[in-house]
């Protein structure tokens, strides 16, 4: 069993930065691929970024490529999402999800469907 808790959300002006954290419980977390997803009001959930269990492979949605960076520290059971050059359209609830057998590319293709574990989300609001 893995429990995920997101943190780091908040209100930021356009052009600003935030770093989200996804802290996990469970000794097997280091063997899980992890993804960040977001859902804006009235919109469907969308993939943002994914990272392999080792951190050696990452994948990003086109909308955040070059602005967001996903990373992980398996010693701390934590995955991060550094978000720079934020735009109002990045406003959403951000969720992290983990799964032992998926890949970052599969997360993007499937939109997170089928992933085993999800956090409750953290709200990011970007003002113009």
């Amino acid at each position: 069993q893995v429990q995920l808790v997101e943190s780091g959300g908040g209100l930021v002006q356009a052009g600003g930065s935030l770093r989200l954290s996804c802290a996990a419980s469970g000794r097997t977390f280091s063997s899980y691929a992890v993804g960040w997803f977001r859902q804006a009001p009235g919109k469907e959930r969308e993939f943002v970024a994914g990272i392999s269990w080792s951190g050696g492979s990452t994948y990003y949605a086109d909308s955040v490529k070059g602005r967001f960076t996903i990373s992980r520290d398996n010693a701390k059971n934590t995955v991060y999402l550094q978000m720079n050059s934020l735009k109002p359209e990045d406003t959403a609830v951000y969720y992290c999800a983990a799964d032992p057998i998926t890949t970052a590319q599969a997360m993007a293709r499937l939109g997170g469907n089928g992933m085993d574990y999800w956090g409750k989300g953290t709200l990011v609001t970007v003002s113009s």
Side-chain angles (χ1 to χ4, degrees), residues 36-113:
W36 283 98
F37 299 81
R38 66 188 181 187
Q39 188 166 19
K43 295 188 176 181
E44 292 187 352
R45 183 181 68 203
E46 65 174 349
F47 169 81
V48 176
I51 190 166
S52 63
W53 67 270
S54 67
S57 177
T58 58
Y59 193 77
Y60 296 91
D62 287 343
S63 59
V64 307
K65 203 172 294 184
R67 300 189 298 123
F68 291 11
T69 303
I70 189 171
S71 62
R72 68 189 299 161
D73 184 340
N74 283 340
K76 296 182 178 180
N77 272 8
T78 303
V79 172
Y80 304 99
L81 184 68
Q82 178 67 43
M83 305 187 297
N84 299 328
S85 302
L86 283 161
K87 304 175 181 179
E89 52 263 43
D90 294 318
T91 294
V93 177
Y94 284 71
Y95 301 89
C96 64
D99 192 273
I101 60 173
T102 192
T103 65
Q105 290 85 347
M107 294 179 206
R109 185 173 68 250
L110 299 174
N113 289 333

Side-chain angles (χ1 to χ4, degrees), residues 4 6 37 45 95-98 111-120:
L4 305 175
E6 303 94 337
F37 299 81
R45 183 181 68 203
Y95 301 89
C96 64
N113 289 333
M115 293 188 71
D116 281 355
Y117 303 105
W118 289 84
K120 295 184 178 181

